Amino acid sequence: MNAQDQSPELTRIGRAFAVPEFHPWEALCIRILFAVVILQTLPLDPMDSGPFKWGSVLAPAKRIVYDAQPLPNGLAHWVDFTFISNPDLQKPLWIVSLVCLASYVAGRGLVLSLPILACIGIAARTLENSQGAISHKYQIVSLILLVQAVIVVAGASRRIFAGKPAPPPGRRPIDRLNDRLIRYSQIAIVAVYVISGCTKLIASEGEWIANSPYIGLYLVKTDRQNYYNKLDAENFGGEVPVAEQMLAHRNLSRIFMGAGLFLELFAFLALYNRFTALGIGVALVIFHQLVIQFMALTFPLNEKVLWIFLINVPFWIGAVVMLVKAKLISSPGQSAG
Amino acid sequence: MNPFVYLKNSLWAKAAFIVVSVVFFRQFPDFLEWPIILSAIVLAALALAQLLFRDYRQNTWSCVRRSFSHPVAFLIGLVLLCLATRESYPFSHFPMYGDPSPTSEYYYIGSVERPGPGGIVPLPIQTLTKVSSAKTGKMFRARRDAYCKEHSRNREDLTEEDYRAIGEGLLVFLYEKGQKLALAPLPEQWALLHVGISHSSDTGFKEETHVLATKSFSG
């Protein structure tokens, strides 16, 4: 029995899920776009005057104002995060955040800037979630930041405690780090969907698809909640035809809802190659758009990170440009002209 | 052939063992609980190493060790961590819509204008307090669970008095938030209402409302 006994197909699949190579320009585009998303999630009041006036355009997430943690969540069981509400902290927080974001975009000093950004985001949203109502709006960005911080800190610790290994030939260490940061961010994103799918199977004891037409009741619930927010009788509070249809045509509902569940469970296939990343990224964006249409539930940050890390528009623009260039060069008519 | 070596080398045998273990564990959860769980975990780790590395049969343990630093292992670890830690920011198991059932419920806040069931007028709670109606419901449920934990009670054993106490606490929180924000004049007497939603093919959707708690803030 030798090494060739192992099915090459299986190991090829294993390699496909490993860390791929990303072009330095592609990595830079991803870092710039994600830096904008991070800025939009930081608990900073937009500055309407002074040198940071442009901040009002980029940072819609406002300062969090809570002076207590009545129902602590996560780290709030041990740490009092109410300090983040302190208005005196706003200016230093702005400066630290901007320096860290600049460091992130430049790809330098990540071992400091990423943990700081992760800590600010996690502290602010943990405080918000410790008021009794848990929101998942910012969760995906905090998780990506945490994963990126763990990657850079683990890499730095390995270098310090295990001695600096000789860099493998071919690729610059900074590019290899970028490859890992992007790949593990993609993992954090798909994990969010896989977890959601697994929870559905566990909580319903495997009967989620069978019971999925009852989501119609949740559509009514969401409609009523939206009505009671502002007593908006123009858009909410009346008949909910989709909910009626879901319960009237249960098998059709099961097909549609089942497709959504399978999309969540198999979201990890996005890691296989760039085509599956594009396909699953687009499918998940469509999935979010359908949720907005039917339930008026928005997850804008989830959609943004899907566009940045899975759909990855800069890569596809570059790929199309290179393909067109290659065609033009190889075309005899063009070269004659 | 040695059955252990066969199990180590055959991916199908490992997959079959894991599936049989899960079925067995569900049927007889107390019988050989830990040996079965540990065997299934070890076999799952071996299966992952076999899937990822070509030299698995020659260097099995080296492949298992290497597989722990593979992105797929990180994905599996992150999924398990989130499922285990549940709602613990930034981790979550995303329980929303996890178990669709034939009934649902929501909560809203009203102003008591006059005595009697028809005397409560809904309040635009987000306009007054910046807390949405959905968040109001989440807050009520979180407070109810905390109350149960604090008083060592089951949710099913809570009385109307308990619900009134929990509801009043939430009304005070919302009123104080509205006062702090001062976005609009606040009414003096607030009520927390619960609405149960059910569906039958004959009557369609049915919504039943009842008052959980009222709180006066005059004086």
Side-chain angles (χ1 to χ4, degrees):
Chain A
M1 213 179 281
N2 56 42
Q4 301 305 316
D5 288 342
Q6 178 73 16
S7 160
E9 269 304 304
L10 289 182
T11 47
R12 193 176 61 76
I13 292 170
R15 276 200 302 278
F17 281 93
V19 180
E21 289 186 5
F22 295 90
H23 193 279
W25 281 105
E26 185 188 359
L28 178 66
C29 288
I30 288 175
R31 285 206 307 274
I32 292 171
L33 292 170
F34 189 53
V36 173
V37 173
I38 297 169
L39 183 58
Q40 290 176 335
T41 65
L42 292 174
L44 303 165
D45 270 334
M47 293 200 180
D48 297 328
S49 61
F52 301 118
K53 198 170 180 180
W54 51 271
S56 59
V57 181
L58 290 171
K62 293 206 174 122
R63 182 166 64 92
I64 293 167
V65 188
Y66 293 112
D67 50 14
Q69 301 178 153
L71 293 162
N73 173 262
L75 287 173
H77 285 287
W78 301 282
V79 184
D80 183 358
F81 289 116
T82 49
F83 69 89
I84 210 99
S85 296
N86 186 349
D88 297 336
L89 202 67
Q90 278 293 298
K91 204 167 181 182
L93 211 55
W94 257 108
I95 294 165
V96 170
S97 303
L98 288 180
V99 169
C100 289
L101 286 171
S103 147
Y104 179 68
V105 170
R108 296 284 183 265
L110 297 179
V111 74
L112 278 178
S113 56
L114 273 171
I116 291 172
L117 288 169
C119 285
I120 295 172
I122 290 170
R125 303 305 157 195
T126 302
L127 174 62
E128 199 172 34
N129 277 1
S130 298
Q131 305 306 312
I134 289 174
S135 161
H136 299 101
K137 188 178 170 188
Y138 298 97
Q139 196 263 350
I140 200 163
V141 176
S142 294
L143 192 63
I144 293 171
L145 274 173
L146 180 67
V147 165
Q148 292 196 354
V150 167
I151 295 297
V152 290
V153 171
S157 315
R158 254 202 311 271
R159 279 197 302 278
I160 292 166
F161 295 112
K164 195 170 182 175
R171 210 158 156 72
R172 294 184 306 160
I174 180 74
D175 296 334
R176 295 170 65 83
L177 177 64
N178 278 326
D179 296 344
R180 287 172 67 77
L181 288 179
I182 297 171
R183 176 49 117 201
Y184 282 84
S185 302
Q186 291 176 330
I187 290 174
I189 294 166
V190 298
V192 162
Y193 293 95
V194 174
I195 294 157
S196 176
C198 290
T199 299
K200 287 184 174 76
L201 291 183
I202 294 166
S204 65
E205 297 185 338
E207 295 188 351
W208 195 86
I209 293 178
N211 295 335
S212 61
Y214 294 126
I215 294 281
L217 275 86
Y218 296 96
L219 299 189
V220 175
K221 169 187 167 175
T222 312
D223 175 85
R224 302 299 187 256
Q225 285 174 335
N226 287 331
Y227 166 73
Y228 286 113
N229 282 340
K230 295 176 181 173
L231 302 184
D232 177 7
E234 201 174 307
N235 298 307
F236 305 106
E239 297 272 304
V240 186
V242 180
E244 290 279 2
Q245 293 299 317
M246 281 186 79
L247 285 148
H249 306 285
R250 295 184 180 216
N251 285 334
L252 201 61
S253 304
R254 286 180 184 119
I255 292 170
F256 275 106
M257 302 306 284
L261 176 64
F262 280 105
L263 179 62
E264 287 187 327
L265 287 172
F266 290 97
F268 68 90
L269 292 176
L271 304 173
Y272 184 64
N273 62 30
R274 288 182 182 274
F275 288 100
T276 58
L278 174 71
I280 288 182
V282 169
L284 286 170
V285 167
I286 293 170
F287 168 79
H288 278 296
Q289 287 299 320
L290 289 174
V291 171
I292 291 173
Q293 289 299 317
F294 292 132
M295 306 184 87
L297 286 177
T298 60
F299 286 92
L301 294 171
N302 285 49
E303 287 191 51
K304 283 176 189 174
V305 297
L306 285 171
W307 279 102
I308 294 169
F309 287 101
L310 293 192
I311 298 175
N312 192 356
V313 176
F315 166 78
W316 289 104
I317 291 173
V320 169
V321 168
M322 283 175 72
L323 198 71
V324 170
K325 261 187 180 175
K327 285 244 176 200
L328 288 177
I329 290 166
S330 65
S331 157
Q334 184 69 23
S335 54
Chain B
M1 185 189 255
N2 182 334
F4 290 106
V5 174
Y6 180 73
L7 198 58
K8 178 178 85 72
N9 288 342
S10 166
L11 195 63
W12 289 111
K14 284 195 280 286
F17 185 94
I18 292 168
V19 170
V20 169
S21 302
V22 171
V23 173
F24 186 85
F25 186 68
R26 280 186 68 87
Q27 291 299 318
F28 309 102
D30 299 325
F31 184 72
L32 288 175
E33 186 183 4
W34 280 108
I36 289 176
I37 292 173
L38 283 175
S39 311
I41 290 171
V42 169
L43 287 176
L46 286 172
L48 181 66
Q50 188 167 9
L51 276 169
L52 296 178
F53 300 108
R54 208 168 178 184
D55 57 338
Y56 167 79
R57 290 187 186 180
Q58 280 66 47
N59 306 306
T60 305
W61 297 115
S62 152
C63 289
V64 170
R65 192 168 43 76
R66 276 187 286 154
S67 67
F68 283 117
S69 59
H70 194 280
V72 170
F74 186 83
L75 171 67
I76 295 168
L78 190 57
V79 169
L80 293 177
L81 179 69
C82 287
L83 290 173
T85 53
R86 301 171 76 84
E87 290 294 5
S88 191
Y89 198 87
F91 306 112
S92 171
H93 65 308
F94 301 101
M96 312 83 75
Y97 313 108
D99 187 16
S101 65
T103 58
S104 185
E105 60 176 14
Y106 64 90
Y107 300 82
Y108 73 91
I109 307 294
S111 157
V112 183
E113 299 292 323
R114 55 185 184 279
I120 297 176
V121 179
L123 286 177
I125 194 66
Q126 196 172 30
T127 313
L128 297 176
T129 63
K130 290 204 170 179
V131 177
S132 67
S133 178
K135 268 195 173 179
T136 306
K138 283 183 190 176
M139 283 180 170
F140 180 77
R141 286 189 292 270
R143 280 166 182 265
R144 178 195 60 196
D145 294 345
Y147 185 92
C148 287
K149 207 172 167 186
E150 193 184 331
H151 294 84
S152 308
R153 304 262 293 275
N154 285 326
R155 202 185 294 170
E156 296 75 31
D157 301 335
L158 294 180
T159 61
E160 280 195 15
E161 280 301 314
D162 295 319
Y163 276 110
R164 193 172 301 145
I166 302 163
E168 281 179 3
L170 179 62
L171 291 175
V172 170
F173 172 83
L174 291 170
Y175 184 82
E176 284 176 355
K177 195 151 182 7
Q179 254 190 335
K180 210 179 278 181
L181 291 167
L183 297 167
L186 302 176
E188 285 184 348
Q189 202 167 3
W190 287 37
L192 172 67
L193 297 99
H194 170 269
V195 184
I197 315 172
S198 57
H199 180 271
S200 75
S201 45
D202 303 328
T203 58
F205 289 103
K206 197 170 147 196
E207 294 176 55
E208 281 182 64
T209 308
H210 77 273
V211 181
L212 282 179
T214 57
K215 181 82 184 162
S216 175
F217 297 99
S218 56

